[in-house]
Amino acid sequence: MSSLQEKIDKKAEQAGIPLSVHFDLTYRCNLQCIHCYLHKKDRYPSQDYKMDLERQGRSELNTQEVFDVLDQLAECGTLFLTFSGGEIFMRSDIMEIIEYARAKRFSLSLMTTGTKGFNESVVDKLFEMGIQAVDMSLYSADPETHESITGVPGSFRKTMRTIELLREKDMNVRIKCLVMTVNVDNLQSVVELADKYDLGIGFDSIVSSIGGIVDPRHLIINDEQLREYYKFFDSIYNNAKVVDETNDPACEDHSEDNPCGASHHTCYVSPYGDIRPCVEVPISCGNVRKQSVKDIWDNSEQMLEFRAIKLKDLRKCGDCPNPDYCRRCVGQAYAEYGNFFDPPTEFCRNVKIHHEVLQRGKIE
């Protein structure tokens, strides 16, 4: 049976509404995470790079331009909005932008490292504005392991202090944990920390191959580690606080269905004003400095071509012996093959091993 969210998404798709929008307000960041999918030039832009972007008409959207995009999204019917980056608190106008978004009645979530700009006054304001959720990356309950990933000493303490401030206001905090070779043995500690502070928690075993990481293979856990991870994940799956990954079958006989919600009821806005089907699809469908959001959503050739892709168009999936629990990503396929139709290698490996673990669990 479809969930309420799935029914809402379907209604939005039928009405042609970009219901959920991921808006990266900046690519700048104060951390140096080893797995980051953003290019270093965007994360740590030099003055020359900023000037080059300006010459290309691709500088970061200013405050008024962000407000204009938010006005347009509200007119298009967008309800769910996520501000992310980079680190959104690298922007000096971030609180103005958050306040404006809430005045437009968006259900607003924030994605942040929690390492910059947070204090009691800021948290008080966020609480008063009614932020839906604050998502924060945490890779281990061990400071040394966490900081071996973020690359910045003291970042664990800052993140934890922000978590404590937010939870003192009983705000909805969800931690996201990417599973890599450097922290795969620390996952139970993350669950225990989440339980201690009553946090939502999401694990992700797919290390992105898009963007900044030239070769992510040294971060990808091997087959045996992946088996142990799925045993661990399955053991905590019924924990109500676990979000994101799922044990629910996804790829049944729905060949006419869409691969995902991108371009159907969700889209992405970059700090430079480019609109894409999602953050993982590196194809601009138009820019808000040249076109309206609605025109791009309704009429962009690139958006319409992407929107036409169906599950039946994706190669090899019809012959896959382990289709259940697949969450393949066409953006990852593009990063790996230069097209949207071949299955990403890591997704196939994950599905195969997860299916194997589940089947073995049933036998035992």
Side-chain angles (χ1 to χ4, degrees), residues 52-297:
D52 189 45
L53 285 176
E54 289 176 3
R55 283 192 291 269
Q56 299 174 46
R58 293 182 56 77
S59 56
E60 199 169 273
L61 296 174
N62 63 36
T63 309
Q64 189 54 52
E65 288 174 319
V66 171
F67 288 173
D68 185 51
V69 172
L70 297 180
D71 289 340
Q72 293 183 58
L73 290 175
E75 291 173 5
C76 288
T78 299
L79 175 59
F80 303 107
L81 182 65
T82 298
F83 285 153
S84 184
E87 170 49 62
I88 58 174
F89 280 84
M90 293 293 288
R91 290 192 64 130
S92 60
D93 58 356
I94 183 60
M95 294 303 287
E96 295 176 64
I97 292 173
I98 292 172
E99 185 174 9
Y100 194 87
R102 286 297 295 133
K104 303 300 290 189
R105 309 295 293 176
F106 293 109
S107 175
L108 181 61
S109 297
L110 309 177
M111 298 185 72
T112 174
T113 64
T115 58
K116 184 176 178 64
F118 280 90
N119 55 41
E120 291 183 6
S121 175
V122 167
V123 171
D124 286 344
K125 291 177 182 176
L126 295 176
F127 173 74
E128 291 168 3
M129 286 188 280
I131 302 303
Q132 174 65 27
V134 180
D135 292 340
M136 304 174 67
S137 297
L138 191 76
Y139 306 107
S140 173
D142 171 53
E144 184 176 349
T145 301
H146 177 81
E147 291 172 7
S148 72
I149 295 171
T150 65
V152 176
S155 55
F156 178 84
R157 176 181 53 79
K158 291 179 180 179
T159 294
M160 287 306 306
R161 178 55 180 156
T162 298
I163 287 174
E164 290 169 353
L165 288 172
L166 292 166
R167 289 303 298 139
E168 284 174 7
K169 287 292 186 179
D170 202 29
M171 293 183 67
N172 181 18
V173 181
R174 304 177 300 201
I175 57 175
K176 302 298 183 72
C177 182
L178 183 63
V179 181
M180 298 172 280
T181 52
V182 288
N183 69 336
V184 66
D185 296 326
N186 286 249
L187 303 184
Q188 182 59 42
S189 73
V190 177
V191 173
E192 291 169 359
L193 187 146
D195 286 341
K196 176 180 177 180
Y197 289 95
D198 195 23
L199 311 173
I201 182 170
F203 290 105
D204 187 355
S205 56
I206 302 291
V207 179
S208 174
S209 58
I210 64 174
I213 303 176
V214 177
D215 186 353
R217 283 178 295 182
H218 66 291
L219 300 175
I220 298 172
I221 58 178
N222 62 35
D223 287 0
E224 187 54 39
Q225 289 171 321
L226 191 58
R227 287 188 188 92
E228 292 304 312
Y229 162 70
Y230 276 121
K231 290 177 184 177
F232 162 78
F233 178 78
D234 295 339
S235 72
I236 65 168
Y237 176 67
N238 290 325
N239 184 330
K241 299 182 183 67
V242 174
V243 296
D244 292 338
E245 286 207 39
T246 180
N247 275 0
D248 298 328
C251 295
E252 300 169 3
D253 185 17
H254 298 310
S255 61
E256 294 295 330
D257 284 0
N258 308 317
C260 62
S263 80
H264 297 283
H265 55 81
T266 70
C267 70
Y268 167 79
V269 184
S270 85
Y272 309 137
D274 295 308
I275 291 186
R276 296 164 15 195
C278 86
V279 66
E280 305 243 24
V281 176
I283 294 177
S284 176
C285 299
N287 190 283
V288 297
R289 286 179 168 134
K290 299 177 180 179
Q291 297 169 264
S292 71
V293 172
K294 183 170 177 54
D295 184 33
I296 296 170
W297 177 258

Side-chain angles (χ1 to χ4, degrees), residues 1-15:
M1 182 178 295
S2 297
S3 68
L4 176 59
Q5 185 62 58
E6 288 172 331
K7 292 177 180 177
I8 293 173
D9 291 344
K10 189 66 176 178
K11 289 288 187 181
E13 179 183 339
Q14 292 168 346

